[in-house]
Amino acid sequence: MTGRFARSWDLVKASAAVLRADKELLVFPLLSLLCTLVVAASFVVPAAFAGLFADLRHGTAPVAFWLLTFVFYVVQYTVIFYFNSALVAAATIRLAGDDPTLADGFRAANARLPAILGYALIAATVGMVLRALQERAGLIGRWIVGLLGVAWTVASFLVVPVLVNERIGPVDAVKRSAELLRTTWGENLVGNLGLGFVFGAAVFAVALIGGGLVVLTAARGGGYWVLVPIALTAIALLLLGLLQAALQGVYSAALYRYAATGQGGAGFDQALITDAFRVKA
């Protein structure tokens, strides 16, 4: 466990070194967050006024609700994958040793927009199917559906880098992603995903410290001052989320580069990335 944590931290530092060279990469997850909030509001508010959520309290939902949910998934996924593609494209340029701009990322994402939309349709369909199965399954069934969700997440881990770097369609991109995972890291992928481990620990620490400050401020009769630690905690969690998203883009770009070419790219020590993602025997 000690060795795994050390290796995870080294991978985070390698991703952070690339991000420090191109801090503008943080713009992509920030814009993604803002756009997803706008999309969510544009669907939720009209649906609420139309009364589509009323029947949910009674355990039923009209067909219109499910259709709207599917459309929402497609639009939301398209936005997320679009900005992720722009981020990965820019990170890929940096890993190749060049100096990317925001325009480079958006240009690459625009060129692959039809494929991004197609992948959003696939992801939305999978999401709807898994949600429907989970709502109709018992405790064990929900556990199995949860495992299916994890399997889909792992299999599709490299879809965005594949879409950016290879001129293939969304279905082939999913197959290609699964192929790269199976032939390179395979069973070692989940255990070695250091970014999730490190940022999970960071989020826990921030939430714990923030919660402690809120309780302490309230106990001392702070009144409205209790909003200060709440706001600071929320800002810290937001910044952590943006940082993780940016690092994840750099990370996935490097992993794709390693899986496809055997090279991690600028900023990633070859011995480190080879050790962290051992080829499956």
Side-chain angles (χ1 to χ4, degrees):
M1 179 60 71
T2 302
R4 176 169 293 174
F5 178 82
R7 189 165 56 243
S8 299
W9 182 243
D10 287 339
L11 287 169
V12 171
K13 289 192 293 184
S15 299
V18 175
L19 184 59
R20 280 197 301 271
D22 288 283
K23 298 181 181 64
E24 63 269 22
L25 295 181
L26 287 167
V27 172
F28 295 119
L30 176 60
L31 291 176
S32 180
L33 173 63
L34 294 176
C35 289
T36 53
L37 290 177
V38 171
V39 170
S42 66
F43 275 85
V44 172
V45 174
F49 278 106
L52 293 181
F53 298 118
D55 291 335
L56 294 181
R57 292 192 295 266
H58 306 293
T60 61
V63 174
F65 171 80
W66 293 111
L67 290 175
L68 184 66
T69 300
F70 178 75
V71 175
F72 167 73
Y73 275 6
V74 172
V75 176
Q76 195 78 304
Y77 280 138
T78 300
V79 170
I80 293 171
F81 296 152
Y82 174 81
F83 286 106
N84 282 352
S85 296
L87 171 59
V88 167
T92 299
I93 294 173
R94 168 54 62 182
L95 291 171
D98 295 323
D99 186 16
T101 64
L102 294 178
D104 291 328
F106 285 123
R107 190 178 302 112
N110 290 337
R112 300 298 288 149
L113 191 55
I116 291 171
L117 178 58
Y119 178 45
L121 285 168
I122 295 174
T125 302
V126 172
M128 289 291 292
V129 170
L130 291 178
R131 178 174 175 177
L133 291 175
Q134 194 169 37
E135 290 185 353
R136 289 165 175 76
L139 180 60
I140 296 179
R142 290 176 183 173
W143 183 73
I144 294 175
V145 173
L147 290 180
L148 291 175
V150 172
W152 164 253
T153 301
V154 171
S156 60
F157 186 73
L158 290 177
V159 170
V160 169
V162 168
L163 286 177
V164 169
N165 290 279
E166 302 182 20
R167 299 300 175 180
I168 58 178
V171 175
D172 289 334
V174 174
K175 294 178 181 178
R176 175 66 170 155
S177 174
E179 174 190 350
L180 290 174
L181 290 170
R182 185 176 62 252
T183 57
T184 51
W185 325 298
E187 297 169 347
N188 293 317
L189 176 64
V190 176
N192 288 307
L193 275 178
L195 282 176
F197 181 83
V198 171
F199 275 93
V203 167
F204 177 78
V206 169
L208 186 64
I209 294 173
L213 291 175
V214 170
V215 171
L216 182 62
T217 303
R220 293 187 174 183
Y224 288 113
W225 283 104
V226 75
L227 296 177
V228 174
I230 292 176
L232 292 176
T233 301
I235 293 173
L237 292 175
L238 175 62
L239 292 176
L240 278 176
L242 293 177
L243 182 60
Q244 182 180 10
L247 288 177
Q248 189 71 44
V250 175
Y251 188 69
S252 63
L255 297 187
Y256 168 80
R257 183 181 173 89
Y258 172 71
T261 68
Q263 302 295 322
F268 281 80
D269 180 76
Q270 186 65 23
L272 168 64
I273 199 166
T274 302
D275 180 56
F277 298 96
R278 297 176 297 278
V279 175
K280 183 178 178 182

